Structures are given as C-alpha cells and as structure tokens.
Amino acid sequence: MSKSKSYQITLTGFWIFSMINVASFLSNRKWLPWSDWINSIYSPLYKLMFGG
Amino acid sequence: MNHTINRWQLVLIVISFIMGSSLLMAPNLTAFFSGQDAWISMLFAVIIGLVLNVIWILLLKRYHFRSIFRITEVAGGKVVGTILNIVIIFYALHLASYVVRNLSNFMISNVIPESSPWTFQIMIILLAVYSCFYGLNNIGRVNEFLTPFMILFFICSLALTTNQFRFSHLQPYFEQGFLKISQGAYTTTGFPFIEIILLGSVLTYVKNKDKLSKSYLAGILLGGSALILTVFIAVGVEGAYMVKRQSYPTYELMRDISIINIFERVEVIIGVVWIFGILVKIVICLFTALKGLQHLSKSSNYHPFLLPAGLLIWAMSNHIHNNTMEFTDFVGRNWTLWWFTLYMIVLLVLSLGILRKKDKSIDPHTEDTFQ
C-alpha cells in the first residue's frame, strides 16, 4: 500500500510540475523563472568574486 | 531494462559527457576573460575539476558506490535525503534542458539557420527518451562503438588545422594576470567538471568496481586534456581576438581547413562529434533524473516518468532564456556557482554521514531494487 501511495504521489506531482512548465512556456508567461531566480542569487556573488 | 556497464564503457561515457557541450563552447568561455592565456585557464579548470572529483569519488567509495539517491537517504536520513534527492533530480533535468537548448542554439545559428529550433530539440529528446527506455547498457554500448570514431574525427580535424598554428598568437604568456586567468577557469570548472557528479547515479551499475575510481578519474583526465588541446589549438590558429568574438570557435576553426581546394567545408565533422557528446550528456542527465524519480516512487521501473520528463526538458529548454546571448552570459556567470552549491551540499551530507558512521550501515553485497 505504502509503495503504491508513494508511486502515485511522485508520478502525479511530477506530471503536474511538468505540465505547469509546459503551460508556462506555451502561454509565453514566466510562472517559474528558474534562470531569473538563479541569477538573482548568484550574480551578486559573482560580482563579489570578479567585480562584474 | 539492462543497466550494467563495464569500466571501459564508463571511461568512454565520462569522456563523451565532458566533451559534449564544452567542446565547442570552452574556447570562447575561457578566452573571453583570459585572452591568449585561455589554455592556461582551461588547464586550471581541469586541475580543479580533478581535485573536486577525487574528493567526490573517495566519498562515494566509502558508501560502496551505491546509487547517489540511496546514499543521501542513508547519510542524511529520510527527510533530508528525500529533499536532497528532489534537488538532484531538478538539477539533472535543468542541465538536460540547457544542453538541449545549447544544441538548438548551435543548429539554428551555424548549421541550418532557416529551420525551427523545435525540430532539433524534439529529435534529440526523443532519441534520449528512447535510449533511456532500454536502459544504461544501451547508451553504454552505443557510446563504446562510436566514441573511438569520434575521437579519431576530433584528432584528425585538429591536426588538419595545425598548418595555420602560430605560437605568436599565444604570446605573451600570463599577460592577463591571475584574476582574469582564474575568471576564465571559473566558467569551465562547473561546465563540465562539477556537472559530472551526476554520474554518481551511474557508478553503481559498473560491473567490476575494483578500479572504478581510477577509471572515472582517467575519463575526466582524458576528456579534460581534449578540452585543453582544443582551446590551445583554437587560440593558436585563430588568435584570442577571433575566439572571443565567436560563440562556437571550434566549429569556426574547422571552417579554415583547406587542403588543395579538395578537402574543404569539413567543419560539420566536428559538429557531429559534438552532437553525439551532447546526446550522451542528455541521456545521462535524463537517466539520473529517472532513477531519482524511481527511487522516490519506490517503483520497479522508471518508464511511467519518461513522457513527463521529456516534455519538461523540452518546455524548460525553450523558456529558460530569450536568446543565445542571454544564455551564454548566464552560463558564464552563474553556472559554476550554481553547480558548486549542489556539490557542497551533497559533500556535506555525505561527510556528516561518514562521521555518524552511516557508511557502515550500507551493505555492499545486497542489491537495492529501487536504487
């Protein structure tokens, strides 16, 4: 039962995550702007290391 | 599904993983900062990459080379392990989408400009999904057959450009100073030498694990040497100024091959070598993500995850960046730090696990169905 439950949760969750990304791309909206988030975290660090 | 590979196949997978993507981009990424000293930057990147991977492989050895998803759970506990596994899966899919985007950027900017990027993206993703469907052994054998030819093409292509090689293009040495050389090394350390930690999901399937560490590190050294040689020849033939200006200098370099007006326009050969390396890299990323999802779901196989994973990679590869310049700037600026974060987190969890003697609780002989 537990195996089946974790399987259903993982598969459903992964399908939802994938479909959000697909819908975001096809509708040309940035619902999950991964690159912007990564950039906002690491860009200041990079500037600190190399001065821009 | 057969996932078993031998040590030689692992070495070739490591070489393809390192040469895929980086072969065409490394000269530009390094020369942009360190000019004619780009090859010194690349040399530093290989040394740093080797040191990081020696630490990584020694830690995995303590856990008997079990799957990285199993190890994190044993070392960090159920909650930390599960969160970390989700993060690793995301990193793998995110990397796969960048590699796919890299391929389509290259194809529409250099090979077939009038075509749609979707054509190349969908074709390479379908190929990767198909390969993963049949298991790791499939790509291991294909790679074993094709890599020697790819290495031959690569060496011949480079050799044919050496008649235009000028040492004066590389001089004066160390002119750029340590900061610029290290900035050049920074961009190529994460891409591809830290990314390769994803192979932590593959090592468990190597048949004979006696000299596995040496094989893994030998693969990194060989792939890294190929990159140093590429940067060295690219700068020596084209000069740092031209290498800086081109997105794919290795490809442009091959355009200069001209032998008695018969042997010309052979640059597509290096394109084929690069695309094959890219396929191997996407397959390994996808395989890692799928094994992670299989581990989380405690399923007996990962086939149900193939379709959503393929769709996710395709969608992400298209909407991560608006254009090629944004893509290259992002990779040069953030990629190494982004991957180094994952490296440090996993390293910390694994080291704490060893301090808590969790590595002793992994039985090296029992097979874990879900790993």
Side-chain angles (χ1 to χ4, degrees):
Chain A
M1 187 64 196
S2 136
K3 179 186 162 184
S4 157
K5 198 178 168 187
S6 58
Y7 173 74
Q8 280 171 7
I9 291 171
T10 313
L11 189 59
T12 311
F14 190 58
W15 262 111
I16 292 169
F17 181 69
S18 298
M19 285 305 108
I20 291 172
N21 274 278
V22 172
S24 166
F25 157 58
L26 293 176
S27 61
N28 207 16
R29 285 159 210 257
K30 281 206 165 185
W31 289 329
L32 296 166
W34 303 111
S35 310
D36 296 347
W37 291 337
I38 295 167
N39 204 33
S40 65
I41 297 169
Y42 293 108
S43 238
L45 273 173
Y46 181 82
K47 276 185 187 155
L48 202 68
M49 284 163 65
F50 298 110
Chain B
M1 275 189 298
N2 180 4
H3 296 314
T4 317
I5 55 170
N6 59 38
R7 280 207 314 266
W8 176 237
Q9 287 170 338
L10 174 77
V11 173
L12 295 177
I13 284 177
V14 172
I15 292 173
S16 294
F17 190 98
I18 286 183
M19 284 174 67
S21 283
S22 306
L23 185 65
L24 292 196
M25 289 183 79
N28 170 270
L29 287 172
T30 46
F32 186 78
F33 299 106
S34 46
Q36 76 272 25
D37 294 327
W39 66 277
I40 303 170
S41 293
M42 199 64 233
L43 180 69
F44 281 161
V46 173
I47 294 169
I48 297 165
L50 268 173
V51 171
L52 294 175
N53 277 287
V54 166
I55 300 167
W56 173 244
I57 202 79
L58 286 176
L59 279 177
L60 291 182
K61 197 175 182 180
R62 290 290 295 262
Y63 290 93
H64 310 290
F65 296 112
R66 301 305 288 266
S67 164
I68 185 66
F69 300 107
R70 173 100 181 99
I71 293 174
T72 48
E73 232 173 59
V74 170
K78 187 78 183 165
V79 178
V80 175
T82 305
I83 294 169
L84 197 50
N85 285 344
I86 293 170
V87 172
I88 296 171
I89 293 166
F90 177 75
Y91 263 82
L93 291 167
H94 188 247
L95 173 60
S97 66
Y98 267 81
V99 181
V100 169
R101 178 63 181 265
N102 201 359
L103 170 83
S104 63
N105 280 349
F106 168 71
M107 293 304 282
I108 59 165
S109 65
N110 282 52
V111 187
I112 316 173
E114 62 274 17
S115 58
S116 159
W118 286 18
T119 316
F120 309 107
Q121 290 167 356
I122 292 169
M123 282 200 299
I124 200 93
I125 291 170
L126 281 178
L127 208 54
V129 167
Y130 180 75
S131 184
C132 281
F133 183 85
Y134 285 105
L136 185 65
N137 182 261
N138 176 278
I139 194 70
R141 285 163 64 189
V142 171
N143 190 52
E144 185 181 16
F145 175 71
L146 286 175
T147 303
F149 291 107
M150 297 301 154
I151 291 173
L152 185 72
F153 290 157
F154 167 71
I155 291 171
C156 289
S157 304
L158 282 187
L160 288 172
T161 60
T162 49
N163 59 341
Q164 298 160 59
F165 187 90
R166 302 282 176 276
F167 269 104
S168 57
H169 284 151
L170 300 164
Q171 292 163 341
Y173 303 114
F174 295 100
E175 192 202 29
Q176 305 298 327
F178 182 73
L179 186 71
K180 287 289 173 193
I181 291 176
S182 56
Q183 200 168 358
Y186 161 86
T187 53
T188 41
T189 304
F191 169 67
F193 297 106
I194 307 182
E195 290 171 350
I196 205 163
I197 62 169
L198 288 184
L199 261 82
S201 67
V202 168
L203 299 178
T204 190
Y205 298 108
V206 179
K207 243 186 284 180
N208 184 357
K209 296 189 178 63
D210 287 344
K211 290 177 183 167
L212 195 145
S213 310
K214 280 183 188 165
S215 303
Y216 176 77
L217 295 172
I220 294 177
L221 188 63
L222 288 170
S225 304
L227 292 184
I228 297 170
L229 188 68
T230 308
V231 175
F232 186 77
I233 291 182
V235 178
V237 171
E238 299 244 292
Y241 179 73
M242 286 308 287
V243 172
K244 268 186 210 181
R245 287 168 55 91
Q246 297 159 343
S247 300
Y248 306 100
T250 319
Y251 190 77
E252 304 291 340
L253 171 74
M254 302 304 165
R255 281 193 173 151
D256 296 340
I257 294 174
S258 174
I259 298 167
I260 53 169
N261 294 336
I262 297 170
F263 204 56
E264 292 197 22
R265 300 306 304 253
V266 290
E267 70 271 12
V268 81
I269 291 176
I270 204 75
V272 171
V273 174
W274 188 69
I275 290 166
F276 179 70
I278 273 192
L279 172 68
V280 174
K281 196 164 178 175
I282 297 169
V283 170
I284 296 298
C285 293
L286 184 60
F287 177 79
T288 303
L290 291 169
K291 289 310 281 184
L293 288 162
Q294 184 187 343
H295 181 86
L296 287 180
S297 65
K298 297 183 174 62
S299 168
S300 57
N301 73 63
Y302 55 59
H303 285 166
F305 298 99
L306 277 167
L307 181 61
L311 286 170
L312 177 61
I313 291 172
W314 174 67
M316 267 172 50
S317 69
N318 275 294
H319 82 144
I320 38 177
H321 294 294
N322 295 325
N323 53 55
T324 312
M325 291 312 292
E326 200 184 295
F327 174 90
T328 312
D329 181 61
F330 177 88
V331 171
R333 196 175 276 271
N334 304 317
W335 205 244
T336 299
L337 279 172
W338 164 243
W339 275 89
F340 191 65
T341 309
L342 177 72
Y343 178 84
M344 286 310 290
I345 293 170
V346 180
L347 206 72
L348 187 71
V349 172
L350 265 57
S351 306
L352 287 175
I354 291 171
L355 287 176
R356 291 160 63 208
K357 299 195 189 317
K358 295 283 184 186
D359 54 321
K360 309 278 186 229
S361 62
I362 284 195
D363 186 351
H365 303 296
T366 46
E367 282 296 319
D368 182 351
T369 324
F370 310 119
Q371 75 171 341

